[in-house]
Amino acid sequence: MPVTKFKFAAISVLVLAGAATPWLIQRQSEIKLREKINSLQTELDQLSQQRTDNDHPSNPLAQAGSPLPNDQSRELLRLRSEVGLLRKQTNELLKLQVENRQLRSDQASSGRAQRQPNLAAGDSVPVESMAFAGYATPEAAFESTLSAHVKNDLKTFFESFTPERRQEEEKGVAGKSEDELAALASDHTAHFAGADARILKSRPLSEDEAELVVFLGTKENELVTITTKRIAGEWKISRERH
């Protein structure tokens, strides 16, 4: 167990480091640009001050002195141009960082929207969101049965069982009035209100028989073992144990 935890911690560190790398690269680029701008700005200020001193000397005898040499004027213009260019690059970098964060946020939102909970994948699925899924797999048969049970779709509910088990279910409602059936439906709805379902385990018992271990997140938190059989290419529920 300690080895497993160590491996998990190592993998987590690597994942976090990989995710942080693009941000670190962008951050380093931004810092370098700002440092270069500050350095050039210092040079520019020095040259500007020198030019000011030459234009307005404190010594009256220096009034007849020559203006700023051409090479210093060209250097001053070059520095001003380079500072302006670097500031533009910094602004563009900041803009790209904002756009990149927005793009990642949109992609994450899109991924969440596209990824729907799936019983067969072991996801926890709200019972109220379930619908008829057919009988191609044991998991689909379970979803179809539970959906029909909650929605009081008796026809689909009965069709979800093996012939022997179907007879037992039909006997349970035989002779009941419409009011009694409505009361049963109301009880089912209340029982599964806000509940979710998750298939914890799915294993074959034979070529035509499989078993599901299901957690039902009702108020009672039920754990149910369901046995299914394949009949004429369709999986039907034969029994369940609580």
Side-chain angles (χ1 to χ4, degrees), residues 40-57:
L40 290 172
Q41 185 64 54
T42 299
E43 294 183 44
L44 182 60
D45 292 342
Q46 291 174 350
L47 284 173
S48 297
Q49 183 61 42
Q50 183 179 352
R51 182 171 186 175
T52 300
D53 293 341
N54 289 337
D55 289 342
H56 305 285

Side-chain angles (χ1 to χ4, degrees), residues 19-211:
T21 298
W23 178 85
L24 289 174
I25 294 174
Q26 291 180 347
R27 182 59 177 166
Q28 290 171 354
S29 299
E30 180 182 347
I31 292 173
K32 288 180 179 179
L33 281 173
R34 290 187 182 279
E35 289 176 349
K36 191 167 184 179
I37 288 175
N38 291 335
S39 176
L40 290 172
Q41 185 64 54
T42 299
E43 294 183 44
L44 182 60
D45 292 342
Q46 291 174 350
L47 284 173
S48 297
Q49 183 61 42
Q50 183 179 352
R51 182 171 186 175
T52 300
D53 293 341
N54 289 337
D55 289 342
H56 305 285
S58 58
N59 184 358
L61 296 178
Q63 292 287 346
S66 61
L68 191 67
N70 289 335
D71 58 342
Q72 290 188 0
S73 295
R74 286 193 296 269
E75 180 66 11
L76 184 62
L77 293 174
R78 184 188 68 80
L79 288 174
R80 285 176 176 172
S81 176
E82 191 166 349
V83 168
L85 178 62
L86 287 173
R87 283 177 174 167
K88 181 180 179 181
Q89 291 177 348
T90 301
N91 292 335
E92 289 177 350
L93 177 61
L94 293 175
K95 181 180 178 181
L96 287 173
Q97 289 175 341
V98 172
E99 292 176 352
N100 187 45
R101 285 194 294 268
Q102 184 62 45
L103 179 61
R104 290 187 177 185
S105 176
D106 293 343
Q107 288 176 340
S109 300
S110 176
R112 286 192 295 269
Q114 293 175 2
R115 176 69 167 85
Q116 297 296 327
N118 189 317
L119 274 176
D123 297 334
S124 181
V125 179
V127 173
E128 63 183 8
S129 72
M130 292 184 182
F132 179 75
Y135 307 105
T137 65
E139 294 82 3
F142 165 70
E143 181 172 358
S144 296
T145 306
L146 184 55
S147 172
H149 182 58
V150 173
K151 297 174 181 177
N152 198 36
D153 181 356
L154 292 180
K155 181 178 182 298
T156 302
F157 180 68
F158 292 144
E159 290 176 350
S160 300
F161 296 102
T162 59
E164 298 81 4
R165 178 61 190 278
R166 175 171 181 163
Q167 291 180 1
E168 296 177 10
E169 294 295 333
E170 289 176 340
K171 286 180 181 179
V173 298
K176 293 187 180 296
S177 65
E178 291 185 1
D179 290 340
E180 290 174 325
L181 292 175
L184 283 176
S186 179
D187 290 343
H188 296 158
T189 301
H191 181 73
F192 288 101
D196 54 7
R198 182 181 180 186
I199 297 177
L200 303 178
K201 185 178 181 181
S202 176
R203 68 186 185 97
L205 300 178
S206 66
E207 185 177 352
D208 293 316
E209 193 171 18
E211 185 177 82

